[in-house]
Amino acid sequence: RNLAVQAISLGGAPLFFAGWNRPGTERNWECSAVAVDRQGTIWAADWRQHQWRLFDRTGSALEARPFDHALQHPIAVAFTADNRMIVLEE
């Protein structure tokens, strides 16, 4: 149940890491799914706090958005060609 998310640049440099069991990282959330939209925004599902955490391409946090009230534990996320989000719920 490590449920962490890590982003790495094309050159192999770490951009960010969030999750459990790694010193110096934010430990108050768990990622259950992640996807990148057509604009390059990284969407990480924080199932513990019931919100989406958005990051830019450099790994900088942009914002947090609450899940729709019916969504509890997303386990997969994808974006269509027209940038619609598809979420698979556990």
Side-chain angles (χ1 to χ4, degrees):
R1 301 249 346 149
N2 189 15
L3 302 178
V5 62
Q6 182 174 6
I8 300 168
S9 73
L10 291 175
L15 298 174
F16 71 92
F17 180 99
W20 298 91
N21 300 325
R22 185 164 168 177
T25 62
E26 184 180 355
R27 297 176 185 266
N28 66 346
W29 68 287
E30 293 184 14
C31 182
S32 61
V34 65
V36 180
D37 70 17
R38 303 278 294 169
Q39 288 75 36
T41 301
I42 301 164
W43 291 69
D46 177 357
W47 75 271
R48 185 174 289 271
Q49 302 210 15
H50 301 319
Q51 64 184 356
W52 296 104
R53 291 180 178 250
L54 280 62
F55 300 89
D56 68 15
R57 294 175 189 206
T58 70
S60 296
L62 298 173
E63 64 178 296
R65 295 184 186 173
F67 288 166
D68 179 84
H69 71 280
L71 186 60
Q72 294 298 311
H73 193 186
I75 58 171
V77 181
F79 285 90
T80 64
D82 60 351
N83 217 30
R84 292 179 188 222
M85 179 187 279
I86 301 170
V87 180
L88 176 63
E89 174 86 57
E90 182 179 68

